[in-house]
Amino acid sequence: MLKTKIADPTRPGSLAHSARAKRWDELLRCFPDLAEMHVLDLGGTPTAWRGAPVRPAHVVTVNLDPRTARHAESGITPVVGDACDLSLPTHMVTRRFDLVYSNSVLEHVGGHYRRRQFADTVHSHADHHWVQTPYRYFPVEPHWLFPGLQWLPFRARVAVSRRWPHGHVPRAGRAQATRDVQEVELLSAAEMRSYFPASSIWFERFAGLPKSLVARK
């Protein structure tokens, strides 16, 4: 499948695997002490960190899906919670984190108000952050792997989601396809800067074109 050959980040040789490796290189260039850091991962999972090139001293993952809390292991503490309205257990907020990390989550939180809340969570929990999100103006929509999907009218996007067999979003009936389309809002660089005005914005590129945005500080 197209997803396996191109967009499966766990498959060596895929474009997604190569892109993830380059992203990790840049992350470690910015934060060479990552292995000694206490990291808050908004929207992440313990499984994602299990195969990471570098494991921080401790990671707290925050995810709405309670299934992610079943995979706790040494050095990783999963919390079921809302990254836009975060309430951590008391013993976790006695000190600030060294870094807030987030990968491909901001486009899913739901509208400007929720994105503003997400950014406030990032700013309030650490002095440093790395927040990545796909770029709205890359020619291929990254969730469906469909060219220009993000620029089509809503009804057309739902129709594509119901029938297109590639990408990360499975085909579904009209109601589920509608929810899937509603749940993704890709951001522009100007929007990213508005949420993270004190950060530098790194453009992750593919074939010379900006593919995703990273707000880093």
Side-chain angles (χ1 to χ4, degrees), residues 22 52-53 109-110 157 167 182-183 191 207:
K22 291 178 182 178
V109 298
R157 282 180 279 155
Q182 288 173 326
E183 202 258 338
E191 288 173 304

Side-chain angles (χ1 to χ4, degrees), residues 58-81:
H58 192 82
V59 179
V60 174
T61 63
V62 176
N63 200 297
L64 287 169
D65 188 346
R67 292 173 296 182
T68 63
R70 302 172 187 169
H71 304 290
E73 58 183 84
S74 177
I76 304 176
T77 303
V79 172
V80 178

Side-chain angles (χ1 to χ4, degrees), residues 44-59:
T45 66
T47 301
W49 284 99
R50 191 172 298 131
V54 175
R55 177 82 68 87
H58 192 82
V59 179

Side-chain angles (χ1 to χ4, degrees), residues 3-20:
K3 175 183 174 182
T4 302
K5 295 179 179 178
I6 295 179
D8 184 354
T10 66
R11 179 188 174 95
S14 72
L15 296 179
H17 187 274
S18 175
R20 175 173 286 188

Side-chain angles (χ1 to χ4, degrees), residues 145-189:
L145 299 182
F146 189 91
L149 179 70
Q150 64 271 38
W151 306 318
L152 296 178
F154 182 82
R155 185 174 178 178
R157 282 180 279 155
V158 172
V160 169
S161 187
R162 293 183 65 191
R163 297 170 175 84
W164 184 246
H166 307 298
H168 304 283
V169 183
R171 286 177 290 183
R174 182 182 299 276
Q176 182 60 51
T178 298
R179 289 191 291 270
D180 290 338
V181 171
Q182 288 173 326
E183 202 258 338
V184 177
E185 297 178 89
L186 302 185
L187 278 72
S188 68

